[in-house]
Amino acid sequence: MTTVIKFPREKALDFYRHQIEIKKAAQLIQTGGLVAFPTETVYGLGADATNESAVKQIFQAKGRPSDNPLIVHLATIEQMDKWISDIPDLAKRLMKHFSPGPITYVMRHQGGFADSVTAGLDTVGIRIPDHPLALALLELADVPVAAPSANRSGRPSPTSASHVAEDLSGKIDLILDGGITTVGVESTVVDVTEGIPILLRPGGVTLEALKAVVGEVSVDTNQKEQPRSPGMKYRHYAPKGEMWLVDGDDMVKKIQYISQEKMAEGYQIGVLTTEENKDKYKSTKTVICGNRSQPDTVARQLYDALRKFDTLGVDLIYAETFPMTDIYLSVMNRLLKAAEGKYFIK
Ligand code: TXA
Ligand code: MG
C-alpha cells in the first residue's frame, strides 16, 4: 500500500511542525523502503543508495532498464567528501554558483554505493536539490539517497504527487506531497571529470548560465550510439498519441493545415499550444502549456501537458516548438524525445 502525506503549500517548510512526518519518511528510507518526494525539478523516487536490495526495488517499481544509473542526492556540499575523494576544482566552482539547485555533477566515486546505483560505472551523478522538504528528508535520513524521477520508465516525469500516484501507487511505500514542482524539467547533468564540463542532459540550470561561470562547456552530441549519460538513449516522456513537432515562422498555419487534413481523414487531433495561440486551432483537442513569452511557465507545465494527452484519447499530436535557448533548450530536448525526433514538414 502507498501512503500519501500532504504538506502545506507555503514556501518555507516549518521543519519543527512537520518533523514527525518527515522522520517517518526518513526511517522508511533507512529501513530499505521507497519514498517519493518533491524536489524543485520533478518528484524523485528515493531509496538508500548504499542498500542494494532497496535500490533494486526502484528499478522494479519504475520498470527501468538496469544499465541506467541513478542520481545520488545529498543534503549538503560537505557530505560529498565522504563519497568523492577528489572533487574537481571545476565542480567546486559550479557548486558555489548552482548548488543547492537543479544540477547534477558526474564525478569519479570511491565506492560505497550499491552496484545498481552506478550501473557499474566508475562515476556517479550527485545532486543537492533546492527544496525544503527534500533537504529535510535527506538530512534526517542521513544516508545518500538514490532517486530517479518518480515515474514509470518511458512516461513523462512527475511534477505533482498525483502524477506519482498515477504511475506508482501500490508499488512504493510513501509519497510526500509538496504540491507542484517549480522548475518542471529535470536537473542539468554535467560531467566534470575532465577540464571542460560536458553537458550530458540540459535541465534546470541553463547552458548560458553554466558558460557564464566556467566559460567553455562542451555538449555531448553522441547520444544515440554511445551516450555518456545512459538515460538519454531511451524513448522518454512519450504521450500515447503519435507526436510531431512543428516549427518555422508559419508554425501556427502549418498546424492548422495538417490538423484539418488529418481530421478529414478521421483522426483525433491534439495540439500542444501556448496561451498566445490557444484559440487558433479549431475542433482539435488543445492542451495549453504555459505562456510563450514566459519560458519558465512552459517548462513548469510541460510534463503535465504531455500527460493530459493520454486522457484525451488523441491519435496524432502536433506540438508548437520553441527557440533552442535558455530553459527552452531543455523543453525542446524533452519534446524531441517525446516526438522521437519527428518534425512535420509541409
Ligand atoms: O532533476 C532530477 O535530476 C531528478 C530529481 C529527482 O533529482 N532526477 C532524475 O533522475 O531526473 P533520472 O534517473 O530520471 O535521470 C538521471 C539521468 C539519466 O539520464 C542517467 O543516465 C544520468 O542522469 N546519469 C546518472 N548517473 C550518471 C553517470 N554516472 N554518468 C552519466 N550519466 C549519469
Ligand atoms: Mg527520469
Side-chain angles (χ1 to χ4, degrees):
M1 213 199 54
T2 305
T3 308
V4 181
I5 303 179
K6 210 165 169 165
F7 289 82
R9 302 293 186 253
E10 63 226 30
K11 268 223 165 89
L13 183 74
D14 184 344
F15 185 64
Y16 186 75
R17 189 149 56 98
H18 299 291
Q19 62 174 317
I20 293 174
E21 292 99 320
I22 305 171
K23 255 190 194 143
K24 182 185 162 182
Q27 274 162 3
L28 262 170
I29 296 225
Q30 288 166 342
T31 52
L34 299 189
V35 176
F37 60 95
T39 77
E40 78 280 35
T41 58
V42 300
Y43 276 71
L45 178 58
D48 176 354
T50 64
N51 180 334
E52 179 67 30
S53 80
V55 174
K56 280 227 168 86
Q57 284 176 50
I58 289 184
F59 284 84
Q60 239 171 26
K62 281 184 57 92
R64 181 177 175 108
S66 61
D67 66 345
N68 193 3
L70 306 181
I71 293 173
V72 172
H73 296 68
L74 299 175
T76 64
I77 295 178
E78 289 70 42
Q79 288 178 352
M80 273 192 206
D81 290 329
K82 189 169 168 198
W83 306 99
I84 312 291
S85 53
D86 216 356
I87 299 175
D89 283 342
L90 177 63
K92 287 183 186 156
R93 269 166 73 200
L94 289 169
M95 282 170 203
K96 239 193 200 157
H97 280 87
F98 300 118
S99 293
I103 182 165
T104 298
Y105 309 98
V106 170
M107 298 180 280
R108 283 200 182 80
H109 62 81
Q110 52 190 42
F113 297 117
D115 286 341
S116 352
V117 169
T118 57
L121 299 171
D122 61 355
T123 55
V124 64
I126 296 198
R127 153 163 143 82
I128 299 155
D130 186 16
H131 191 289
L133 189 45
L135 289 173
L137 174 67
L138 291 168
E139 195 159 320
L140 286 178
D142 201 28
V143 290
V145 172
S149 49
N151 51 285
R152 286 280 303 169
S153 215
R155 295 264 291 151
S157 293
T159 51
S160 70
S162 56
H163 292 166
V164 179
E166 243 169 63
D167 282 14
L168 298 175
S169 200
K171 296 192 164 79
I172 63 178
D173 300 299
L174 178 65
I175 301 173
L176 302 180
D177 180 352
I180 294 168
T181 61
T182 51
V183 177
V185 291
E186 301 89 337
S187 65
T188 303
V189 180
V190 272
D191 181 330
V192 289
T193 57
E194 286 161 38
I196 296 167
I198 307 167
L199 179 71
L200 302 182
R201 177 178 75 181
V205 170
T206 66
L207 180 57
E208 290 83 353
L210 288 176
K211 283 182 176 165
V213 172
V214 293
E216 201 180 341
V217 177
S218 82
V219 178
D220 182 33
T221 48
N222 184 23
Q223 294 194 335
K224 267 268 148 63
E225 289 76 36
Q226 231 198 356
R228 296 178 72 122
S229 180
M232 300 306 279
K233 72 176 179 236
Y234 298 105
R235 182 165 186 243
H236 240 112
Y237 322 111
K240 280 177 191 150
E242 185 182 297
M243 190 157 154
W244 291 80
L245 306 186
V246 186
D247 66 354
D249 296 338
D250 54 350
M251 174 179 80
V252 170
K253 271 207 173 121
K254 283 200 272 194
I255 296 177
Q256 289 167 337
Y257 162 83
I258 186 64
S259 47
Q260 291 306 317
E261 189 168 288
K262 290 293 173 187
M263 270 191 285
E265 289 173 28
Y267 291 102
Q268 292 284 329
I269 305 299
V271 175
L272 182 74
T273 183
T274 43
E275 283 296 339
E276 287 90 337
N277 296 329
K278 66 180 181 206
D279 299 321
K280 295 179 182 162
Y281 309 107
K282 286 197 201 83
S283 328
T284 63
K285 296 181 176 174
T286 54
V287 174
I288 302 162
C289 181
N291 201 306
R292 188 165 277 282
S293 63
Q294 292 166 260
D296 289 352
T297 64
V298 177
R300 198 173 301 140
Q301 292 172 36
L302 179 67
Y303 289 141
D304 186 61
L306 291 180
R307 279 173 183 263
K308 277 191 180 130
F309 284 113
D310 289 352
T311 59
L312 292 178
V314 292
D315 308 306
L316 294 163
I317 301 164
Y318 296 102
E320 293 182 4
T321 53
F322 304 90
M324 298 273 196
T325 53
D326 297 292
I327 196 69
Y328 277 150
L329 182 68
S330 308
V331 170
M332 285 303 296
N333 172 274
R334 309 317 190 249
L335 281 178
L336 275 158
K337 287 210 161 59
E340 299 183 274
K342 297 190 302 297
Y343 274 91
F344 167 67
I345 296 164
K346 197 182 156 188

